[in-house]
Amino acid sequence: MLNNYIIPFIVLFIISYGFFKKCDIYDRFIAGAFDGLKIVLDIIPAILAMILAVNIFVDSGLLLDLFKGSKYAEIFPMIFLRPISGNAALAYLSQVYATHGPDSFLGFLASIIQGATDTTIYVLALYFSSIKIKNSRYALWVGLAADFFGILAAFIVVHFFF
Amino acid sequence: MINKIWFFLIGCGLIYGVFKGIDMGSVFLNSAGEAYSLLVTMVPLIVLWCGIMNIASESGLLHKFSSLLRPFLRKLMPSVKNDKALDYVSSNVAANMLGLGSAATPFGLKAMKELDKENKNKGVATDAMITFLVLNTSGVTIIPMTVIALRMAYQSINPTCIIIPSLIATFISSFSGLLIDYCIRRKNAK
């Protein structure tokens, strides 16, 4: 399948470009990986905090009792948390994988939703507060509408690919 | 915001779980182990990807890519006269597309600062700022590496099979976001 060729192709393209531009690709790789490690170390406590909260919430059974009968019970909270906290959505995604498996219908759908949406409210707050914007006008609604269409698209796309 | 969510999830979960007679103590303890096994698979892959992407950013590929995006962005944000702002916007969008989230944010903050220089009404978002935010938050990511890493951590048979479906969904999200933004701008201009 085409999916399997995308990563090798991109990697080959990037390192060939660097190589022929006479860039120290090996050193650049090491430096980038080191920076990546620092970034990951920074977010590990946040991920741990969210995995804890989501585990407690999911394992209590509250959600399943609330949305009894709906096959998307686990997807709803992920959709609500996604615009606010990327780590919370990621913790939910891992819960969906843990209960249904990453290759199940729900696992596939949740993966695409995670890929198609973003932490809209968080980014908006970060960017606007950096230049002291108090009135964001219609920005939030357009951002959330884009996420909504992304989720809608995920529900449609999953039926073609799964 | 994050305080409320965290409190809500843990508070509701603990009360409801204890009420239903579930051993919430072991749920608490097990999440540490679960987080560990998750991170053991995910962290090396994400670090690896950061290494590859650093080659892209330092060899000039990222710059090349962002200059390819520029004409397109100029059409999307016609009110921007400041070239520097457009530079930062295209760098931010290019970095986001390659999944270089941490490289994208500094460009994004600089872009906002430049856009604010054209702002006659300080404290109120301009049209261009909103278009930029929509581009940023609904932006297309070519390889969703975190999702792939998480799928690997749960032994997916085919972790990368989500790339093309995700691309389609995220493209629809960006397109509809920009379309709505364009319609609002046209309506306001009248």
Side-chain angles (χ1 to χ4, degrees):
Chain A
M1 219 171 131
L2 189 61
N3 284 307
N4 299 338
Y5 297 103
I6 296 175
I7 292 177
F9 174 78
I10 289 180
V11 171
L12 181 67
F13 184 75
I14 289 173
I15 64 165
S16 320
Y17 188 91
F19 185 76
F20 290 112
K21 286 273 167 185
K22 300 204 165 45
C23 168
D24 294 324
I25 48 173
Y26 183 76
D27 284 344
R28 291 300 111 214
F29 176 85
I30 301 292
F34 190 65
D35 284 343
L37 197 60
K38 281 190 279 189
I39 295 161
V40 170
L41 275 179
D42 273 349
I43 61 165
I44 283 179
I47 289 183
L48 185 63
M50 278 306 169
I51 284 179
L52 172 71
V54 168
N55 268 9
I56 289 174
F57 192 68
V58 170
D59 288 354
S60 74
L62 176 62
L63 208 67
L64 288 173
D65 293 348
L66 219 61
F67 294 102
K68 222 167 215 155
S70 169
K71 73 173 176 175
Y72 301 117
E74 277 112 338
I75 304 281
F76 292 129
M78 197 184 130
I79 291 173
F80 284 115
L81 291 173
R82 183 71 176 113
I84 306 155
S85 164
N87 292 330
L90 205 65
Y92 247 104
L93 186 62
S94 84
Q95 271 294 323
V96 174
Y97 290 166
T99 23
H100 300 277
D103 299 308
S104 65
F105 177 80
L106 279 184
F108 196 74
L109 175 64
S111 308
I112 297 169
I113 290 177
Q114 178 82 11
T117 52
D118 205 336
T119 48
T120 305
I121 295 175
Y122 172 78
V123 172
L124 192 131
L126 177 74
Y127 280 7
F128 277 170
S129 67
S130 78
I131 50 168
K132 299 187 178 62
I133 295 281
K134 300 237 162 40
N135 181 357
S136 61
R137 293 165 70 208
Y138 54 88
L140 180 63
W141 302 113
V142 182
L144 290 180
D147 283 343
F148 173 78
F149 281 107
I151 292 164
L152 208 66
F155 272 89
I156 296 165
V157 163
V158 76
H159 286 285
F160 284 104
F161 284 90
F162 189 72
Chain B
M1 192 69 157
I2 202 81
N3 286 321
K4 284 182 197 154
I5 292 170
W6 207 58
F7 178 74
F8 174 81
L9 291 175
I10 295 184
C12 289
L14 280 181
I15 293 167
Y16 194 78
V18 169
F19 176 71
K20 278 192 76 178
I22 295 166
D23 180 9
M24 293 312 282
S26 62
V27 171
F28 185 92
L29 297 175
N30 286 339
S31 29
E34 196 178 306
Y36 176 77
S37 55
L38 212 83
L39 291 169
V40 162
T41 331
M42 283 181 74
V43 169
L45 183 59
I46 290 170
V47 168
L48 194 82
W49 196 240
C50 286
I52 296 288
M53 283 306 166
N54 194 45
I55 300 176
S57 98
E58 305 238 346
S59 63
L61 189 62
L62 181 69
H63 188 74
K64 187 128 210 168
F65 189 47
S66 78
S67 54
L68 287 175
L69 290 173
R70 260 185 77 135
F72 172 70
L73 292 169
R74 194 182 282 285
K75 285 226 164 62
L76 273 177
M77 307 164 89
S79 62
V80 179
K81 300 284 178 285
N82 179 345
D83 268 354
K84 230 166 145 190
L86 212 61
D87 262 349
Y88 287 133
V89 169
S90 47
S91 300
N92 172 273
V93 173
N96 265 331
M97 285 179 88
L98 295 178
L100 284 156
S102 57
T105 310
F107 285 132
L109 293 174
K110 280 183 199 149
M112 274 293 173
K113 201 167 261 167
E114 290 298 325
L115 289 175
D116 201 37
K117 284 184 185 161
E118 292 185 339
N119 191 357
K120 292 186 189 81
N121 208 346
K122 298 277 183 226
V124 180
T126 62
D127 287 1
M129 286 177 189
I130 296 175
T131 308
F132 173 53
L133 264 179
V134 173
L135 260 177
N136 190 295
T137 61
S138 70
V140 172
T141 309
I142 298 169
I143 308 283
M145 204 34 115
T146 324
V147 177
I148 293 172
L150 192 63
R151 290 172 66 81
M152 279 181 70
Y154 282 98
Q155 276 95 35
S156 166
I157 313 162
N158 193 349
T160 56
C161 72
I162 51 132
I163 296 178
I164 289 173
S166 294
L167 260 178
I168 297 171
T170 188
F171 180 77
I172 292 172
S173 155
S174 314
F175 183 79
S176 43
L178 290 171
L179 191 70
I180 295 167
D181 177 62
Y182 178 76
C183 293
I184 295 176
R185 257 189 296 155
R186 285 241 340 227
K187 208 175 136 228
N188 287 347
K190 270 180 195 164

mmCIF file of all heavy atoms in Angstrom, chain A residues 60-101:
data_model
loop_
_atom_site.group_PDB
_atom_site.id
_atom_site.type_symbol
_atom_site.label_atom_id
_atom_site.label_comp_id
_atom_site.label_asym_id
_atom_site.label_seq_id
_atom_site.Cartn_x
_atom_site.Cartn_y
_atom_site.Cartn_z
ATOM 1 N N SER A 60 -13.586 4.212 35.666
ATOM 2 C CA SER A 60 -14.708 4.306 36.600
ATOM 3 C C SER A 60 -16.000 3.840 35.927
ATOM 4 O O SER A 60 -16.973 3.539 36.596
ATOM 5 C CB SER A 60 -14.880 5.745 37.085
ATOM 6 O OG SER A 60 -15.438 6.537 36.065
ATOM 7 N N GLY A 61 -16.015 3.823 34.580
ATOM 8 C CA GLY A 61 -17.197 3.354 33.856
ATOM 9 C C GLY A 61 -18.266 4.414 33.686
ATOM 10 O O GLY A 61 -19.308 4.163 33.096
ATOM 11 N N LEU A 62 -18.000 5.618 34.179
ATOM 12 C CA LEU A 62 -18.985 6.700 34.127
ATOM 13 C C LEU A 62 -19.442 6.976 32.699
ATOM 14 O O LEU A 62 -20.625 7.095 32.410
ATOM 15 C CB LEU A 62 -18.377 7.968 34.748
ATOM 16 C CG LEU A 62 -19.221 9.235 34.702
ATOM 17 C CD1 LEU A 62 -20.511 9.056 35.475
ATOM 18 C CD2 LEU A 62 -18.452 10.415 35.264
ATOM 19 N N LEU A 63 -18.453 7.022 31.827
ATOM 20 C CA LEU A 63 -18.719 7.376 30.446
ATOM 21 C C LEU A 63 -19.593 6.345 29.738
ATOM 22 O O LEU A 63 -20.556 6.677 29.054
ATOM 23 C CB LEU A 63 -17.367 7.447 29.751
ATOM 24 C CG LEU A 63 -17.313 8.370 28.605
ATOM 25 C CD1 LEU A 63 -17.474 9.779 29.111
ATOM 26 C CD2 LEU A 63 -15.991 8.203 27.938
ATOM 27 N N LEU A 64 -19.215 5.076 29.924
ATOM 28 C CA LEU A 64 -19.946 4.010 29.239
ATOM 29 C C LEU A 64 -21.381 3.943 29.745
ATOM 30 O O LEU A 64 -22.303 3.653 28.991
ATOM 31 C CB LEU A 64 -19.237 2.669 29.425
ATOM 32 C CG LEU A 64 -17.935 2.539 28.625
ATOM 33 C CD1 LEU A 64 -17.205 1.257 28.982
ATOM 34 C CD2 LEU A 64 -18.203 2.602 27.136
ATOM 35 N N ASP A 65 -21.566 4.220 31.050
ATOM 36 C CA ASP A 65 -22.919 4.227 31.592
ATOM 37 C C ASP A 65 -23.710 5.407 31.056
ATOM 38 O O ASP A 65 -24.916 5.326 30.835
ATOM 39 C CB ASP A 65 -22.877 4.284 33.128
ATOM 40 C CG ASP A 65 -22.294 3.001 33.707
ATOM 41 O OD1 ASP A 65 -22.157 2.032 32.937
ATOM 42 O OD2 ASP A 65 -21.974 2.972 34.903
ATOM 43 N N LEU A 66 -22.995 6.510 30.828
ATOM 44 C CA LEU A 66 -23.630 7.736 30.363
ATOM 45 C C LEU A 66 -24.098 7.599 28.915
ATOM 46 O O LEU A 66 -25.194 7.998 28.552
ATOM 47 C CB LEU A 66 -22.629 8.886 30.490
ATOM 48 C CG LEU A 66 -23.158 10.229 30.952
ATOM 49 C CD1 LEU A 66 -23.746 10.101 32.346
ATOM 50 C CD2 LEU A 66 -22.024 11.241 30.982
ATOM 51 N N PHE A 67 -23.221 7.058 28.087
ATOM 52 C CA PHE A 67 -23.532 6.910 26.655
ATOM 53 C C PHE A 67 -23.866 5.462 26.341
ATOM 54 O O PHE A 67 -23.383 4.906 25.364
ATOM 55 C CB PHE A 67 -22.356 7.350 25.790
ATOM 56 C CG PHE A 67 -22.050 8.812 25.869
ATOM 57 C CD1 PHE A 67 -20.984 9.268 26.626
ATOM 58 C CD2 PHE A 67 -22.825 9.724 25.170
ATOM 59 C CE1 PHE A 67 -20.695 10.624 26.687
ATOM 60 C CE2 PHE A 67 -22.538 11.077 25.230
ATOM 61 C CZ PHE A 67 -21.472 11.522 25.993
ATOM 62 N N LYS A 68 -24.612 4.836 27.202
ATOM 63 C CA LYS A 68 -24.927 3.431 27.021
ATOM 64 C C LYS A 68 -25.513 3.187 25.627
ATOM 65 O O LYS A 68 -26.430 3.878 25.194
ATOM 66 C CB LYS A 68 -25.938 2.977 28.085
ATOM 67 C CG LYS A 68 -25.587 1.611 28.634
ATOM 68 C CD LYS A 68 -26.390 1.300 29.878
ATOM 69 C CE LYS A 68 -25.523 0.492 30.807
ATOM 70 N NZ LYS A 68 -25.908 0.624 32.188
ATOM 71 N N GLY A 69 -24.958 2.217 24.929
ATOM 72 C CA GLY A 69 -25.517 1.874 23.630
ATOM 73 C C GLY A 69 -24.856 2.577 22.463
ATOM 74 O O GLY A 69 -24.911 2.091 21.352
ATOM 75 N N SER A 70 -24.208 3.721 22.713
ATOM 76 C CA SER A 70 -23.559 4.398 21.601
ATOM 77 C C SER A 70 -22.206 3.760 21.336
ATOM 78 O O SER A 70 -21.420 3.558 22.252
ATOM 79 C CB SER A 70 -23.357 5.872 21.911
ATOM 80 O OG SER A 70 -22.508 6.440 20.945
ATOM 81 N N LYS A 71 -21.949 3.450 20.073
ATOM 82 C CA LYS A 71 -20.673 2.795 19.816
ATOM 83 C C LYS A 71 -19.527 3.798 19.782
ATOM 84 O O LYS A 71 -18.371 3.426 19.739
ATOM 85 C CB LYS A 71 -20.727 1.948 18.535
ATOM 86 C CG LYS A 71 -20.744 2.698 17.233
ATOM 87 C CD LYS A 71 -20.630 1.692 16.082
ATOM 88 C CE LYS A 71 -20.740 2.400 14.739
ATOM 89 N NZ LYS A 71 -20.526 1.576 13.598
ATOM 90 N N TYR A 72 -19.858 5.093 19.830
ATOM 91 C CA TYR A 72 -18.812 6.112 19.822
ATOM 92 C C TYR A 72 -18.547 6.685 21.213
ATOM 93 O O TYR A 72 -17.950 7.743 21.340
ATOM 94 C CB TYR A 72 -19.183 7.250 18.878
ATOM 95 C CG TYR A 72 -19.398 6.797 17.456
ATOM 96 C CD1 TYR A 72 -20.643 6.932 16.851
ATOM 97 C CD2 TYR A 72 -18.364 6.214 16.745
ATOM 98 C CE1 TYR A 72 -20.840 6.501 15.540
ATOM 99 C CE2 TYR A 72 -18.560 5.782 15.441
ATOM 100 C CZ TYR A 72 -19.797 5.926 14.849
ATOM 101 O OH TYR A 72 -19.988 5.505 13.572
ATOM 102 N N ALA A 73 -18.999 5.979 22.266
ATOM 103 C CA ALA A 73 -18.897 6.509 23.630
ATOM 104 C C ALA A 73 -17.507 7.049 23.955
ATOM 105 O O ALA A 73 -17.373 8.077 24.608
ATOM 106 C CB ALA A 73 -19.290 5.439 24.636
ATOM 107 N N GLU A 74 -16.469 6.348 23.491
ATOM 108 C CA GLU A 74 -15.110 6.792 23.832
ATOM 109 C C GLU A 74 -14.621 7.946 22.970
ATOM 110 O O GLU A 74 -13.660 8.613 23.308
ATOM 111 C CB GLU A 74 -14.118 5.636 23.713
ATOM 112 C CG GLU A 74 -14.086 4.766 24.944
ATOM 113 C CD GLU A 74 -14.645 3.407 24.658
ATOM 114 O OE1 GLU A 74 -15.408 3.285 23.677
ATOM 115 O OE2 GLU A 74 -14.321 2.482 25.410
ATOM 116 N N ILE A 75 -15.282 8.133 21.821
ATOM 117 C CA ILE A 75 -14.810 9.160 20.893
ATOM 118 C C ILE A 75 -15.256 10.554 21.348
ATOM 119 O O ILE A 75 -14.511 11.522 21.211
ATOM 120 C CB ILE A 75 -15.333 8.880 19.459
ATOM 121 C CG1 ILE A 75 -14.921 7.486 19.008
ATOM 122 C CG2 ILE A 75 -14.849 9.935 18.494
ATOM 123 C CD1 ILE A 75 -13.511 7.334 18.530
ATOM 124 N N PHE A 76 -16.457 10.655 21.941
ATOM 125 C CA PHE A 76 -16.989 11.961 22.320
ATOM 126 C C PHE A 76 -16.056 12.774 23.227
ATOM 127 O O PHE A 76 -15.750 13.919 22.907
ATOM 128 C CB PHE A 76 -18.375 11.824 22.970
ATOM 129 C CG PHE A 76 -19.440 11.371 22.017
ATOM 130 C CD1 PHE A 76 -20.268 10.316 22.318
ATOM 131 C CD2 PHE A 76 -19.593 12.017 20.799
ATOM 132 C CE1 PHE A 76 -21.254 9.890 21.421
ATOM 133 C CE2 PHE A 76 -20.568 11.607 19.894
ATOM 134 C CZ PHE A 76 -21.397 10.548 20.210
ATOM 135 N N PRO A 77 -15.599 12.183 24.359
ATOM 136 C CA PRO A 77 -14.734 13.003 25.214
ATOM 137 C C PRO A 77 -13.452 13.426 24.508
ATOM 138 O O PRO A 77 -12.935 14.512 24.751
ATOM 139 C CB PRO A 77 -14.436 12.095 26.410
ATOM 140 C CG PRO A 77 -14.872 10.748 26.032
ATOM 141 C CD PRO A 77 -15.875 10.883 24.954
ATOM 142 N N MET A 78 -12.959 12.576 23.607
ATOM 143 C CA MET A 78 -11.749 12.928 22.873
ATOM 144 C C MET A 78 -11.998 14.184 22.035
ATOM 145 O O MET A 78 -11.166 15.094 21.996
ATOM 146 C CB MET A 78 -11.365 11.762 21.973
ATOM 147 C CG MET A 78 -9.948 11.838 21.471
ATOM 148 S SD MET A 78 -9.627 10.484 20.335
ATOM 149 C CE MET A 78 -8.921 11.427 19.011
ATOM 150 N N ILE A 79 -13.178 14.229 21.411
ATOM 151 C CA ILE A 79 -13.512 15.389 20.574
ATOM 152 C C ILE A 79 -13.602 16.654 21.424
ATOM 153 O O ILE A 79 -13.142 17.712 21.019
ATOM 154 C CB ILE A 79 -14.837 15.127 19.820
ATOM 155 C CG1 ILE A 79 -14.621 14.027 18.778
ATOM 156 C CG2 ILE A 79 -15.358 16.397 19.173
ATOM 157 C CD1 ILE A 79 -15.892 13.562 18.097
ATOM 158 N N PHE A 80 -14.160 16.529 22.630
ATOM 159 C CA PHE A 80 -14.291 17.711 23.479
ATOM 160 C C PHE A 80 -12.948 18.179 24.039
ATOM 161 O O PHE A 80 -12.710 19.370 24.191
ATOM 162 C CB PHE A 80 -15.261 17.434 24.643
ATOM 163 C CG PHE A 80 -16.689 17.437 24.208
ATOM 164 C CD1 PHE A 80 -17.455 16.290 24.259
ATOM 165 C CD2 PHE A 80 -17.267 18.608 23.716
ATOM 166 C CE1 PHE A 80 -18.772 16.290 23.834
ATOM 167 C CE2 PHE A 80 -18.574 18.617 23.290
ATOM 168 C CZ PHE A 80 -19.339 17.457 23.349
ATOM 169 N N LEU A 81 -12.074 17.237 24.341
ATOM 170 C CA LEU A 81 -10.794 17.609 24.944
ATOM 171 C C LEU A 81 -9.789 18.098 23.914
ATOM 172 O O LEU A 81 -8.887 18.865 24.232
ATOM 173 C CB LEU A 81 -10.205 16.415 25.702
ATOM 174 C CG LEU A 81 -10.952 16.011 26.963
ATOM 175 C CD1 LEU A 81 -10.387 14.719 27.534
ATOM 176 C CD2 LEU A 81 -10.850 17.118 28.016
ATOM 177 N N ARG A 82 -9.944 17.647 22.675
ATOM 178 C CA ARG A 82 -8.946 17.925 21.640
ATOM 179 C C ARG A 82 -8.582 19.406 21.482
ATOM 180 O O ARG A 82 -7.398 19.740 21.415
ATOM 181 C CB ARG A 82 -9.431 17.332 20.310
ATOM 182 C CG ARG A 82 -8.449 17.485 19.167
ATOM 183 C CD ARG A 82 -7.252 16.575 19.373
ATOM 184 N NE ARG A 82 -6.334 16.626 18.249
ATOM 185 C CZ ARG A 82 -5.111 17.117 18.311
ATOM 186 N NH1 ARG A 82 -4.667 17.636 19.428
ATOM 187 N NH2 ARG A 82 -4.333 17.099 17.261
ATOM 188 N N PRO A 83 -9.569 20.347 21.415
ATOM 189 C CA PRO A 83 -9.191 21.745 21.196
ATOM 190 C C PRO A 83 -8.468 22.373 22.376
ATOM 191 O O PRO A 83 -7.813 23.395 22.217
ATOM 192 C CB PRO A 83 -10.527 22.464 20.985
ATOM 193 C CG PRO A 83 -11.556 21.429 20.886
ATOM 194 C CD PRO A 83 -11.026 20.177 21.458
ATOM 195 N N ILE A 84 -8.589 21.774 23.568
ATOM 196 C CA ILE A 84 -8.037 22.405 24.756
ATOM 197 C C ILE A 84 -6.678 21.839 25.113
ATOM 198 O O ILE A 84 -5.746 22.578 25.422
ATOM 199 C CB ILE A 84 -9.000 22.229 25.954
ATOM 200 C CG1 ILE A 84 -10.387 22.734 25.574
ATOM 201 C CG2 ILE A 84 -8.479 22.953 27.175
ATOM 202 C CD1 ILE A 84 -11.483 22.102 26.369
ATOM 203 N N SER A 85 -6.560 20.518 25.087
ATOM 204 C CA SER A 85 -5.313 19.898 25.505
ATOM 205 C C SER A 85 -4.943 18.742 24.586
ATOM 206 O O SER A 85 -5.661 17.744 24.513
ATOM 207 C CB SER A 85 -5.451 19.408 26.953
ATOM 208 O OG SER A 85 -4.408 18.500 27.233
ATOM 209 N N GLY A 86 -3.839 18.894 23.900
ATOM 210 C CA GLY A 86 -3.354 17.837 23.020
ATOM 211 C C GLY A 86 -2.999 16.584 23.793
ATOM 212 O O GLY A 86 -3.252 15.465 23.342
ATOM 213 N N ASN A 87 -2.443 16.762 25.006
ATOM 214 C CA ASN A 87 -2.041 15.609 25.801
ATOM 215 C C ASN A 87 -3.242 14.820 26.308
ATOM 216 O O ASN A 87 -3.202 13.597 26.380
ATOM 217 C CB ASN A 87 -1.183 16.046 26.988
ATOM 218 C CG ASN A 87 0.153 16.573 26.532
ATOM 219 O OD1 ASN A 87 0.672 16.154 25.503
ATOM 220 N ND2 ASN A 87 0.705 17.507 27.268
ATOM 221 N N ALA A 88 -4.321 15.540 26.666
ATOM 222 C CA ALA A 88 -5.518 14.848 27.133
ATOM 223 C C ALA A 88 -6.123 14.026 26.000
ATOM 224 O O ALA A 88 -6.526 12.879 26.197
ATOM 225 C CB ALA A 88 -6.543 15.850 27.663
ATOM 226 N N ALA A 89 -6.150 14.612 24.797
ATOM 227 C CA ALA A 89 -6.694 13.884 23.653
ATOM 228 C C ALA A 89 -5.832 12.662 23.354
ATOM 229 O O ALA A 89 -6.346 11.588 23.035
ATOM 230 C CB ALA A 89 -6.774 14.803 22.437
ATOM 231 N N LEU A 90 -4.517 12.832 23.498
ATOM 232 C CA LEU A 90 -3.602 11.719 23.251
ATOM 233 C C LEU A 90 -3.818 10.606 24.284
ATOM 234 O O LEU A 90 -3.803 9.423 23.947
ATOM 235 C CB LEU A 90 -2.159 12.235 23.322
ATOM 236 C CG LEU A 90 -1.122 11.445 22.544
ATOM 237 C CD1 LEU A 90 -1.400 11.512 21.055
ATOM 238 C CD2 LEU A 90 0.272 11.971 22.837
ATOM 239 N N ALA A 91 -4.046 10.991 25.533
ATOM 240 C CA ALA A 91 -4.306 10.006 26.576
ATOM 241 C C ALA A 91 -5.599 9.250 26.277
ATOM 242 O O ALA A 91 -5.687 8.034 26.494
ATOM 243 C CB ALA A 91 -4.387 10.682 27.941
ATOM 244 N N TYR A 92 -6.601 9.971 25.755
ATOM 245 C CA TYR A 92 -7.847 9.312 25.375
ATOM 246 C C TYR A 92 -7.656 8.367 24.209
ATOM 247 O O TYR A 92 -8.205 7.272 24.181
ATOM 248 C CB TYR A 92 -8.933 10.346 25.050
ATOM 249 C CG TYR A 92 -10.023 10.272 26.062
ATOM 250 C CD1 TYR A 92 -10.138 11.233 27.049
ATOM 251 C CD2 TYR A 92 -10.901 9.199 26.062
ATOM 252 C CE1 TYR A 92 -11.103 11.123 28.017
ATOM 253 C CE2 TYR A 92 -11.864 9.087 27.027
ATOM 254 C CZ TYR A 92 -11.969 10.047 28.002
ATOM 255 O OH TYR A 92 -12.912 9.931 28.962
ATOM 256 N N LEU A 93 -6.858 8.838 23.245
ATOM 257 C CA LEU A 93 -6.575 7.998 22.084
ATOM 258 C C LEU A 93 -5.945 6.691 22.540
ATOM 259 O O LEU A 93 -6.306 5.611 22.056
ATOM 260 C CB LEU A 93 -5.629 8.752 21.139
ATOM 261 C CG LEU A 93 -5.316 8.098 19.800
ATOM 262 C CD1 LEU A 93 -6.582 7.946 18.974
ATOM 263 C CD2 LEU A 93 -4.292 8.919 19.034
ATOM 264 N N SER A 94 -5.026 6.771 23.501
ATOM 265 C CA SER A 94 -4.366 5.546 23.954
ATOM 266 C C SER A 94 -5.342 4.651 24.693
ATOM 267 O O SER A 94 -5.233 3.426 24.644
ATOM 268 C CB SER A 94 -3.127 5.876 24.797
ATOM 269 O OG SER A 94 -3.487 6.126 26.117
ATOM 270 N N GLN A 95 -6.342 5.249 25.363
ATOM 271 C CA GLN A 95 -7.382 4.443 26.003
ATOM 272 C C GLN A 95 -8.229 3.705 24.962
ATOM 273 O O GLN A 95 -8.595 2.546 25.153
ATOM 274 C CB GLN A 95 -8.290 5.333 26.855
ATOM 275 C CG GLN A 95 -7.811 5.495 28.281
ATOM 276 C CD GLN A 95 -7.865 4.186 29.032
ATOM 277 O OE1 GLN A 95 -8.767 3.381 28.847
ATOM 278 N NE2 GLN A 95 -6.886 3.954 29.895
ATOM 279 N N VAL A 96 -8.533 4.396 23.865
ATOM 280 C CA VAL A 96 -9.296 3.756 22.783
ATOM 281 C C VAL A 96 -8.502 2.585 22.221
ATOM 282 O O VAL A 96 -9.040 1.489 22.009
ATOM 283 C CB VAL A 96 -9.634 4.779 21.662
ATOM 284 C CG1 VAL A 96 -10.286 4.078 20.473
ATOM 285 C CG2 VAL A 96 -10.559 5.865 22.180
ATOM 286 N N TYR A 97 -7.186 2.779 22.026
ATOM 287 C CA TYR A 97 -6.339 1.695 21.528
ATOM 288 C C TYR A 97 -6.296 0.539 22.527
ATOM 289 O O TYR A 97 -6.326 -0.621 22.145
ATOM 290 C CB TYR A 97 -4.905 2.181 21.290
ATOM 291 C CG TYR A 97 -4.717 3.127 20.136
ATOM 292 C CD1 TYR A 97 -3.541 3.854 19.995
ATOM 293 C CD2 TYR A 97 -5.701 3.290 19.165
ATOM 294 C CE1 TYR A 97 -3.347 4.721 18.932
ATOM 295 C CE2 TYR A 97 -5.523 4.155 18.106
ATOM 296 C CZ TYR A 97 -4.342 4.876 17.995
ATOM 297 O OH TYR A 97 -4.155 5.731 16.951
ATOM 298 N N ALA A 98 -6.212 0.891 23.820
ATOM 299 C CA ALA A 98 -6.088 -0.147 24.845
ATOM 300 C C ALA A 98 -7.348 -1.003 24.897
ATOM 301 O O ALA A 98 -7.267 -2.222 25.042
ATOM 302 C CB ALA A 98 -5.798 0.486 26.203
ATOM 303 N N THR A 99 -8.540 -0.379 24.777
ATOM 304 C CA THR A 99 -9.767 -1.169 24.891
ATOM 305 C C THR A 99 -10.173 -1.832 23.577
ATOM 306 O O THR A 99 -10.672 -2.953 23.594
ATOM 307 C CB THR A 99 -10.958 -0.332 25.408
ATOM 308 O OG1 THR A 99 -10.704 1.029 25.119
ATOM 309 C CG2 THR A 99 -11.159 -0.509 26.883
ATOM 310 N N HIS A 100 -9.991 -1.135 22.462
ATOM 311 C CA HIS A 100 -10.483 -1.688 21.191
ATOM 312 C C HIS A 100 -9.378 -2.148 20.256
ATOM 313 O O HIS A 100 -9.649 -2.827 19.274
ATOM 314 C CB HIS A 100 -11.357 -0.661 20.472
ATOM 315 C CG HIS A 100 -12.552 -0.239 21.265
ATOM 316 N ND1 HIS A 100 -13.717 -0.964 21.295
ATOM 317 C CD2 HIS A 100 -12.742 0.808 22.096
ATOM 318 C CE1 HIS A 100 -14.583 -0.365 22.101
ATOM 319 N NE2 HIS A 100 -14.010 0.709 22.605
ATOM 320 N N GLY A 101 -8.142 -1.739 20.510
ATOM 321 C CA GLY A 101 -7.040 -2.078 19.606
ATOM 322 C C GLY A 101 -6.866 -1.005 18.543
ATOM 323 O O GLY A 101 -7.865 -0.456 18.072
#
